[in-house]
Amino acid sequence: MSNNIITISREFGSGGRELGKRLAELLGYAYYDEEIVAAIAQRSALAEDYVNQVVERRIRSYYPITIAASFLATPDDSTYAINRSIYAAQAEILEEMAKKSDCVIVGRCADHILQDYKPFRIFVYSDMPSKVARCREKGEDGNALTDKELEKKIRAVDKARAQYYRFYTGEDLNDKLCYDLGVNTSGLQIKPLATAIAALVKSRSETE
C-alpha cells in the first residue's frame, strides 16, 4: 500500500506553508519544505543559497557552485546542465520522501514529480490585500517595504515560481485542473481551514 502524499502549491503570501505545517501536524504526517533544499545542496555539492534561488525563484547569471567558490556564467549548456542536475536531485529526493512515509510537501514541483504516487494536490491562493497583510503579519519585509513595493515583490515571486514550474514540467502552475483542491485564503485564518481540510483528507482516505 502506497503512502498518503499531500502536495502544496501556493502563491506567495497566501499562507500555503502554514497550511502545510498544520495539516502535517493534524494528520501525523511528515512535513517537508526547506529540508528539501538542504538535501539537494548536500547531494549536488552546490551552495544552499543558490539551490534555494533556483528552486524557489528565477535562474540568474551568477552561480555560486560551492560555499567557497563561484563563477560568472552565461545561459549556455553548462548553466542548463547545472540546473537540470538540481532538478534531478530534487526529483530523486522527493521520491525517497514519498516512499518513506505519509507526508506533506510544499512546492518544488512535487505534484508533478510525484504524479505516479497519486498525491492529493492542493493549490493555495489569495487576493492581494490578504497576501500583503499576511506577509506583514509574518514579518516578511513587513516594515521594510511600502504596500506597493511589497505587492511588486509578491507578483515577482509568483511569476518566478510559475516560470520555474513551466520550464521543468511544461504545465501551468495556476491551472486549476492540475489540482484536487483549490483553497482561497482571502480574509481567512489558516488554522480552521487546516482543520477542515484535514477532515476532508481523512474521509477521502477512508473511502479509497
Side-chain angles (χ1 to χ4, degrees):
M1 182 178 178
S2 60
N3 292 319
N4 295 308
I5 311 299
I6 297 175
T7 60
I8 306 284
S9 301
R10 78 285 189 212
E11 293 180 345
F12 186 65
S14 66
R17 177 169 290 167
E18 180 185 349
L19 178 63
K21 287 182 178 179
R22 290 189 179 278
L23 279 176
E25 291 171 359
L26 290 166
L27 296 167
Y29 289 7
Y31 173 78
Y32 299 115
D33 183 6
E34 295 175 351
E35 299 89 345
I36 300 169
V37 173
I40 294 171
Q42 182 177 18
R43 188 164 303 190
S44 62
L46 296 170
E48 189 169 327
D49 285 347
Y50 171 62
V51 173
N52 187 63
Q53 182 184 102
V54 172
V55 302
E56 275 292 336
R57 298 173 179 85
R58 67 182 71 228
I59 298 170
R60 299 181 182 177
S61 59
Y62 188 66
Y63 292 86
I65 296 305
T66 67
I67 300 298
S70 63
F71 74 98
L72 289 172
T74 55
D76 56 14
D77 290 343
S78 63
T79 61
Y80 176 79
I82 291 168
N83 290 287
R84 290 299 303 186
S85 71
I86 289 175
Y87 185 78
Q90 175 176 280
E92 186 177 85
I93 290 164
L94 289 178
E95 287 209 37
E96 290 173 2
M97 291 173 170
K99 291 176 180 177
K100 186 177 181 179
S101 66
D102 297 338
C103 60
V104 176
I105 301 174
V106 176
R108 282 83 189 187
C109 300
D111 58 315
H112 178 83
I113 291 171
L114 300 176
Q115 57 186 310
D116 291 342
Y117 294 80
K118 306 298 182 184
F120 186 59
R121 304 160 300 172
I122 300 175
F123 184 75
V124 187
Y125 61 99
S126 181
D127 61 23
M128 184 58 74
S130 296
K131 289 194 280 190
V132 169
R134 190 169 284 111
C135 285
R136 294 204 183 286
E137 181 185 345
K138 299 298 181 183
E140 298 176 10
D141 296 318
N143 297 320
L145 302 177
T146 65
D147 281 357
K148 287 187 177 180
E149 290 171 335
L150 189 50
E151 287 179 14
K152 184 177 180 180
K153 175 183 177 178
I154 290 169
R155 290 192 179 94
V157 173
D158 284 342
K159 181 179 179 181
R161 285 177 177 174
Q163 289 175 336
Y164 175 87
Y165 189 86
R166 180 176 290 280
F167 182 80
Y168 285 107
T169 71
E171 299 172 358
D172 182 359
L173 178 65
N174 300 299
D175 184 357
K176 62 181 178 295
L177 296 179
C178 292
Y179 304 99
D180 302 298
L181 179 67
V183 182
N184 183 353
T185 61
S186 301
L188 301 175
Q189 294 297 313
I190 300 299
K191 186 174 181 179
L193 279 176
T195 301
I197 295 170
L200 173 63
V201 172
K202 289 178 181 178
S203 64
R204 181 174 178 268
S205 299
E206 291 170 356
T207 59
E208 290 182 345

